[in-house]
Amino acid sequence: MGEKITISPVTRIEGHAKITIHLDNDGNVEESFFHVEQFRGFEKFSEGRMFYEMPQITPRTCGICPVSHHLASVKACDKVAGTEPTPTATLLRRLMHKGQLIQSHGMHFFELAGPDLILGFDADPAIRNVAGVVQANPELAVKAVKLRAFGQEIIRRLGGRRVHPVFAVPGGVNKPLSEEDRDWILSQVDDHIATTQVGIDFLKGWVEEHQTMVDDFAVFPSMYMGLVQPDGALELYGGQLRLVDQDGEQVEQFDPCNYLDYIGEHVNEYSYLKSPFYKKMGYPAGVYRVGPLGRLNAASHINTPLAQEEMAVWKSLNGGRPVEGTLYFHYARLIETLYSLERTKELLDDPAIMETDVANPGGQITGEGIGCIEAPRGTLFHHYWTDDNGVIEKVNMIVATGHNAWAMNHSINMVAKKYVDGNNLEEGMLNRVEAAIRAHDPCLSCSTHAVGQMPIDIQLVDADGQVRDRLRTD
Amino acid sequence: MGKIKVASQWLEACAGCHMSFLDIDERIVELLQHVELTSTPITDLKHPPEDGVDVGILTGAIGNEDEVAEAKEMRERCKILIAMGDCAVFGGICTMRNFFSREEVLRRGYVETESTVEGDVPEHEDLAPLTSCVKGVGEVVPVDIYLPGCPPTADAIWYVLSELLEGRMPKVEGDALRYGLDGG
């Protein structure tokens, strides 16, 4: 083995991570590793707390998708409390979750990945960021900021706060929706549908312009997983989990409460991020992808009209087979944003959402509960065991980003081999490697809920440990 | 007058404080007229510039050796250091780990969890070891401004930054200390 390039921290992703690229003696890329560096220990330190505290404790795994944790947690708590939410409460939880998808996806496309797409992978790193986007295209930037803000406002109007809201409780939610809030949200939706469509048009143009690269940038087969409705349509809150193979054929469809029969987690010694896999096939044969790309490949269609128009395009990209290219994550993310906006409208047009019966009383403590939801980054599981009084005895969490751990590592390997020339290092090469991670929109605080961090200093170190070349972007 | 240089970093954190910063919404356009963002998690510079920045912001607690080094680097390279959010100020929810040993916490995460198959605690030269306990930033380096909240509201963050832009030391009190249901 020759040299090692370290990219630390990886930026414009959530959390702390580094990438190491190992070179052979001729300066060619041999292998690359994605190291997630943070671990906090939620699965241990929640022991001894009352179960109903979990919907407030666990959102602190991630400030970008706190609502996903809040809701997965409360779904587990419904079961621990031996109750279920009222129909209105379910509608309101779904509405808040749409707010989560809109803000997280909106921010990722325009503010995190956007600088690469709008300014270019080789743009000066000093301006390749949200400030650069504001300068290059202020009109688009302001629209994007407003799209994210809209998602955050839905969350705040329901849960009182934009980050770490206080809303769902076992059996329901803590307050009904006001007419004023319903009318305000409805009055804004169409503008944001328009912004998302501007984003989709921009992305399609970008893909067309960079088709050769898109077709060659970490494109690989895998299995895919996501929640689906009974008719096989895209689902984000309830439903069953569907796992499809690399040809798009269904391998399994199961109730998420039985996840332990289907999903195992493999530990890599080089990362705090575990790699889930399909148990019946083992690791690494049973790896799959989740998140926007995984979900659109697992679902057969989308039950809202505008998003379904795009879904039809999606399904045609690879002749009816699953879409394999990592950069298509961005397209999938925008399609899901469109879906979430359309669903926001549908939910608010349903008179049942205005009912005031928003919580059922608790029953007998059952001692165990499992909650599953599609977080922006993929399938999220919370599993709690309690004593007869509801004191937490054990916690298991499988977090969205983890399911993509293998895929992220595989992607950087492919991109590094394609673009990185160890004898002639350029920053843009390494930014492409980072972009392969970024496309997955990982959330590393989440994924290492167990402890966590993800930031880049690139060094080319020769076999004697001498720094031969260094890219440190400060 | 040149722009004020700002650097930020998240340590052992959930990113919620940076999200609350982005919750200043359109005001970011105005902010960028007065402020140059150097290294932050949402920009591509990896470390604060060696010739320093005016304001450094740290969010998150300190729970591993890399985070200790990052906090020290930020302190050395900034004139005014802000500890932002409950984790940076007090250690926050991360300090719940201090009720257990490192080994217990890691064993639960990587060996005992029900879905883990034949797991072992990760150990690697490229993974920073955990510190024995989790601390707030002020326990590791001197802090100039404490801004608590989980997260602090966008308005509180805006207040602190605008006071600094006016050349005043912000007084974090009253509504800026109000944890709970926020106004925006």
Side-chain angles (χ1 to χ4, degrees), chain B residues 151-165:
Chain B
T153 60
D155 285 344
I157 296 169
W158 178 254
Y159 164 74
V160 166
L161 293 177
S162 12
E163 286 293 285
L164 289 172
L165 284 173

Side-chain angles (χ1 to χ4, degrees), chain A residues 11-12 14 16 18 37 60 63 128 148 152 161-162 265 267 272 274 395-396 434 445 453 456 473-474, chain B residues 10 13-15 23 25 41 44-47 66-67 70 108-110 115 117 120 126 150 179-180:
Chain A
T11 44
R12 287 186 280 128
E14 198 287 323
H16 265 225
K18 64 180 155 192
E37 298 185 84
R60 269 71 183 181
R128 199 177 54 214
R148 175 184 178 279
Q152 291 286 73
R161 325 177 71 222
R162 283 180 162 201
E265 290 184 288
V267 180
Y272 282 128
K274 292 188 274 190
V395 173
N396 190 34
E434 286 187 79
S445 301
Q453 191 179 350
I456 279 190
T473 40
D474 62 5
Chain B
W10 47 39
C14 74
D23 283 339
D25 298 340
D44 279 356
L45 301 187
K46 309 301 184 184
H47 295 266
D66 275 1
E67 290 161 354
E70 279 174 301
R108 177 69 197 157
Y110 298 100
S115 45
V117 179
D120 207 351
D126 286 307
C150 185
Y179 178 96

